[in-house]
Structures are given as C-alpha cells and as structure tokens.
Amino acid sequence: MSGNAPWRVLLGRSHECGVLDHVVADARAGRSRVLVLRGAPGVGKSALVEYLTRSAPGFQVLRVVGVESEMELAFAGLHQLCMPLLGHIERLPGPQRDSLAIAFGLRDGSAPDRFLVGLAVLSLLAETAEDRPLLCVVDDAQWLDQVSAQTLAFVARRLLAERVALVLAARPPAFGAGDDPWAALPETEVPGLRDDDARALLDSVVPGRLDERVRERIVAETRGNPLALLELTRGLTTADLAGGFGRPDSRPLTSQIEHSFVRRIESLPSGAQRLLLAAAAEPVGDVPLLRRAAERLGIDADAEGTAEEAGLIEFGTRVRFRHPLVRSAAYRAAPPAERRTVHRALAEATAPGFDSDRRAW
Ligand SMILES: Nc1ncnc2c1ncn2[C@@H]1O[C@H](COP(=O)(O)OP(=O)(O)OP(=O)(O)O)[C@@H](O)[C@H]1O
Ligand SMILES: [Mg+2]
C-alpha cells in the first residue's frame, strides 16, 4: 500500500525526490515553497508524498486527503488542514477568527467572508511556523471541495518568507473541467517510470523469467505507470502474460486498472463485497461506524479478514483502501439498489447528532 506500507525505495524517482528535498530545504531556511505534483492515476504521486513526509525531520506535518464523496461539503478540506491548529485560533485578529469559526461550524453566523477565511488560514500557518517549520501536504487534491481548493490557492499565492512548504498532489484536471484553482502555481509533472525502471518493477512482481518481447510490450502499454505494472500483471504467471496481457484493449489505462479491481472484488464472497461497498460509501474511514453498519447489513464477521487478505483494504485506526481506484471500483461495481441499501445502513449506524456532516445520507 502506498500509504502505510513498510518504507521502501522508490524506483526511478531521483529527480522528483530531489525537487521535493529542495522544497523542504527552502522552507526550512525561511523561503516558503508551494508545489503541485501532477500526474495520472497510479503514476506514483502518493508514493512521493509519502517520501516527502518522511524527508522533513523537525517539521510539523499537516496532512489533508481529498475525498471524492466530500467534494460537496464546503470547507471540509480546510477543516482537515486546520484542525490540529485550532488551539491557536484565539490569537487571530477578531474578524479572521470569527470567519474561520463560522466556516468550521464552531459558532453561528451568516456565511463567512471568503477573503477573511483565507487570511485566517494564512495567519494560522504563519504563526505555527514561527515555532517550527511547517509542511502541509494535500493528497488527492482533485477531490477537495471547491472553497477549500480556492482558499488554499489564495494562501499559496501569499506565502512569502515563512517557514512553510505546501505541496499538493493532484490528477490532471478532467478535460473541460472548470477553472483549475492551482493553474498559476509552480508545478512538477510526475511522469511514468522510464523503461529500465518499469522493467525492474515488473521483474520484481512477476514470478519466473519473462519473455523479452512480452516484457517490452507490457512496459510500452502501461507507459511506465507503476500501478498498472503492479495491478494488471497481478497473479499472472509468465505463461498467462505471454498469452493474455496486451490483448488489444482500447480503454484508457485507468479504466483497465479499475476493471481489474472490479474483477478482484467480484471474485470475493458477497459479505466482503458488501463490506467494501460500505467502506467506499463512507467518506472518513470510521471503523466503528462501518462495523455498526456491517452488522445491520448482516455482513458476517469474516468479511473484514477476507477483504484484507485480498489486499484491497486495511482496517486500522481508519479504513484505508489499497488505492483510490479500489474505492471507486467497489462503488461502481455495485448495482444502485445495493448502494441505496448500504447508504441507508450507514445513515442508521450514525448516532443522531453524532456528526451533522453525515446527515446528508
Ligand atoms: N517509483 C515507484 N517505484 C515502485 N513502486 C511505485 C513507485 N511509485 C508508485 N509505486 C507504487 O505504485 C502504486 C500506485 O502509486 P500511487 O498510489 O502513489 O499513485 P498515485 O499517483 O497517487 O495515484 P492516484 O492518482 O490514483 O492517487 C502504489 O502501490 C505504489 O506503491
Ligand atoms: Mg494517490
């Protein structure tokens, strides 16, 4: 798993790691840095984010992960970012403090002035960085709610001489998507692995010796996308690969990977499938809530183990999918009626008044 797998060396990323090392060094020296890591699904952005957070000793690290099902919840992303800093909110100038408190639902009031919310976040970050340097990382940034994305862009443009680094990892904007909030910010493209690194990754996961031509075809067709190299060849023997992989498939690579996750999900017993669907429909990865919903859905107790053993998900302090494409595969694979049943069970499993965000269910 990219998130909490035992740390291992990334193949072919010395350039990108060097860029990130500079970001950290500049921020440490009091020259704020902002960087957007852009790349296709599965290309290795989260793996680089993981590298970054391990390469900034002495920094306070604030992490935000965009969640597709929270895109409609205004300020959800900013709330994740600022939550650990809210103890300092009283130090902000009154109007900024009030705007932020209203935005986060800490006090009543009419819709806050976005400019003041932006200034409040900027002040909070700058103030925190006076004690020790601050690294803010936003993964899956394409799924931030719009206000949070715009506010972060506002903050990014105004960071100057603070000890702050802000790094966002995002998929490229969808064709025809509205304005990209980070278009004007410094950006690094994360490309597929070079051929020799892609070959090395492939050799590390495919048992036995691969025929040279088959290997070259896989490297070419996956365009060095690590997730595609790992997932589309998963469980296949050299013989399977020679005969199977690379049959003409005109779908984009991402749909092929997602489809391969769908196949793996569909091969599981129905309880594990339902549990994956419920986990996909629940935005924050709340394990006790998911277990209550699972009980209501009559999902047997083995389902968690089965889904974990299949390498698709982990149930730790939070629920963690192996990759965002597993989440979308689990959700899309289910018929609408099944999705409705699961949403209902999640709503019922949420204690009334426990978390008003979830009443939308
Ligand atoms: N340089 C690398 N060397 C070896 N494995 C890698 C490398 N980069 C990524 N991987 C592995 O490839 C998989 C996909 O990477 P990752 O999750 O970082 O992609 P991503 O760009 O964040 O995708 P998404 O946009 O869907 O979030 C992970 O299992 C990760 O561990
Ligand atoms: Mg990622």
Side-chain angles (χ1 to χ4, degrees), residues 337-348:
E338 176 76 352
R339 289 185 204 164
R340 282 195 294 274
T341 307
V342 158
H343 278 290
R344 210 165 29 242
L346 285 164
E348 287 163 5

Side-chain angles (χ1 to χ4, degrees), residues 1-2 8-13 39-47 139-140 142 171 193 201 226-227 230 322-325:
M1 305 204 174
S2 56
R8 58 173 191 270
V9 175
L10 292 176
L11 289 165
R13 290 298 188 215
V43 82
K45 300 177 298 298
S46 295
D139 199 3
D140 294 332
Q142 72 277 358
R171 295 178 181 175
L193 299 178
L201 185 58
L227 185 67
L230 295 170
R322 182 207 183 284
H323 190 270
L325 288 173

Side-chain angles (χ1 to χ4, degrees), residues 35-120:
L35 185 67
V36 182
L37 293 173
R38 281 279 185 198
V43 82
K45 300 177 298 298
S46 295
L48 285 167
V49 162
E50 195 65 28
Y51 166 84
L52 173 67
T53 57
R54 289 164 194 268
S55 313
F59 278 63
Q60 176 171 0
V61 181
L62 299 180
R63 279 170 170 272
V64 180
V65 181
V67 180
E68 200 171 6
S69 54
E70 290 193 348
M71 284 180 78
E72 303 299 322
L73 302 180
F75 296 111
L78 272 189
H79 185 251
Q80 272 191 63
L81 180 79
C82 296
M83 206 152 52
L85 310 181
L86 288 182
H88 299 305
I89 195 171
E90 292 306 324
R91 295 194 214 155
L92 296 177
Q96 293 183 23
R97 185 189 57 217
D98 294 346
S99 302
L100 201 62
I102 293 170
F104 292 163
L106 299 172
R107 83 163 55 156
D108 285 335
S110 46
D113 181 329
R114 301 253 204 106
F115 177 70
L116 287 176
V117 172
L119 286 183

